Amino acid sequence: MADEVAEAEAAARANVAPAVVLSDVTIAFHLVGGSTYTAVEQASLTVADGEFVSIVGPTGCGKSTLLNVAAGLLAPSAGTAEIFGKPLAGLNRQSGYLFQAEALFPWKTAIDNVAIALETGGVGRQEAHARAQEWLTRVGLGAFGGRYPHMLSGGQRKRVGLAQVLIRDPKILLMDEPFGPLDAQTRQIMGNLLLDLWNADRKAVMFVTHDLEEAIALSDRVVIMSAGPAARIIGDWRVPLSRPRDISEVRLEKAFHELHREICHVLKDEVLKGYAQTGGG
Amino acid sequence: MSRLTLFTFQILVAVITLVLWYLLTSVPVSGGKPLFPPFFFSNPVDVIERIIKWFADGTIWRHLWITLSEATLAFVIGAVGGILVGFWFARQPRVAAVFDPYVKMINALPRIVLAPIFTLWFGLGIWSKVALGVTLVFFIVFFNVYQGIKEVSPTVLANARMLGMNERQLMRHVYWPSALSWVFSSLHTSVGFAVVGAVVGEYLGSAAGLDYLILQAEGTFDIAGVFAGMFVLAAFVIVIDGVVTLVERRLLVWRPTAADTRT
């Protein structure tokens, strides 16, 4: 395992500037009453350009917090974040963020939701709409442009969200349990859609999930975080599966099972530790 | 219940009420007098005759127009003020904190005590009524705008920023629609209060308007006139409320109604 991490880091270094480098990032929150809560402690993570990395950990371990640092939505208390070799100051303009919660503008139709992502950058309304329509078609919602978010199903809303993020052509894709609230079938369909889109144009991806199977099926690398508070990165595995993949088929491969068993072993201890600390909640 | 049956029943309620009213005020019981003396309760025939007369000779239009202008002006001025101050306070928390006790104090004050002052300041014309309506409408709109901006989902806001919106675009695409949706959802209340402001203002002293008509009739014990004025006022409010419902449906298409919510 250690060899693999070294190899990954060497590969990242060879590629002059990796997409994301988090070095010794510590994130602490000041609580009411003067005490501090350390969510993440000294986490270091490198994501190469075009690499799909999943971050897996028990609930409440600070995975999303780490993602917010990469997005520039949150400044780390200690440590640095570098994006393509440059220190990150303010929002990460080269990234697109797919949120776990509902993030579409409820007062805009699907197509307006997608088009606005271009319009903010100064693209004209007509061109933005034409390109938004292309993207809606690409995510399988070509005929649903006129619907408002509340008229779409949960999976359809995630598709609109995906189109909204990808139409800006970000170099880095940050995803915070994007398919969390969806049912198992829809998750698989969405996973395959994501892989298809990513295969067509490989961006660096940081994918946060608590679902280890999903992480292995999608990623090039799986990073495991320990239970919070003061969560650390405790493991980093390269996924030895070929691409392109089909999520439901890849789960039947032997390599998948071996890796799953190996990681599961490490993760189980952490989940139990997490339970013990939060009193089973 | 089908629409037609429902409508039939609704009409039936009105017919029964009118018939009862007529019978109680005109059919003599023991002692040769009706149960409800017409002097105090009038009777539906007189009231309808009076309404028809008002519309036939055209006297009512001027009064309707006055009350409508008062309510409209009160609503527009109150709403614009509420939106501006609401935005200002929501975006400048320090200003909001400084003014907070005073806002609460004025809002807690029963607005009717201001009416005599407004009459002194603005006279018996429409502006004293507009001022009273403004004090009512302003606070409803203000609190809704303030809430609408404060309650923008943090995820939607973070998403907007990640999509590259600057402060001006955030205003236009996030804060404004959110605040507006709150204002529209309270439209019935604020329009209602604009009418209340106008009518109460007229009641406390006026030279024209629907409530002036009622007040005049009351002053001469003309009970038919009082009831006729009340019915015209009620019809007027229903028409305004219908217009508000139409506007609301047009502007809030993006909002789920209970029937078509899907997850």
Side-chain angles (χ1 to χ4, degrees), chain B residues 105-132:
Chain B
M105 195 173 81
I106 300 174
N107 187 43
L109 188 75
R111 248 48 66 73
I112 198 149
V113 305
L114 296 172
I117 301 178
F118 288 146
T119 312
L120 276 176
W121 288 352
F122 302 110
L124 284 176
I126 66 166
W127 291 105
S128 56
K129 288 82 189 170
V130 172
L132 190 61

Side-chain angles (χ1 to χ4, degrees), chain B residues 79-161:
Chain B
V80 170
I83 288 171
L84 290 179
V85 178
F87 258 88
W88 185 39
F89 277 24
R91 303 298 290 144
Q92 307 278 340
R94 249 177 270 170
V95 177
V98 169
F99 281 98
D100 183 60
Y102 301 103
V103 169
K104 280 190 184 133
M105 195 173 81
I106 300 174
N107 187 43
L109 188 75
R111 248 48 66 73
I112 198 149
V113 305
L114 296 172
I117 301 178
F118 288 146
T119 312
L120 276 176
W121 288 352
F122 302 110
L124 284 176
I126 66 166
W127 291 105
S128 56
K129 288 82 189 170
V130 172
L132 190 61
V134 166
T135 62
L136 291 164
V137 173
F138 173 85
F139 283 95
I140 299 168
V141 175
F142 163 75
F143 284 122
N144 277 292
V145 168
Y146 188 75
Q147 207 64 18
I149 292 172
K150 289 271 160 194
E151 304 253 317
V152 170
S153 142
T155 316
V156 169
L157 204 56
N159 191 26
R161 293 178 58 212

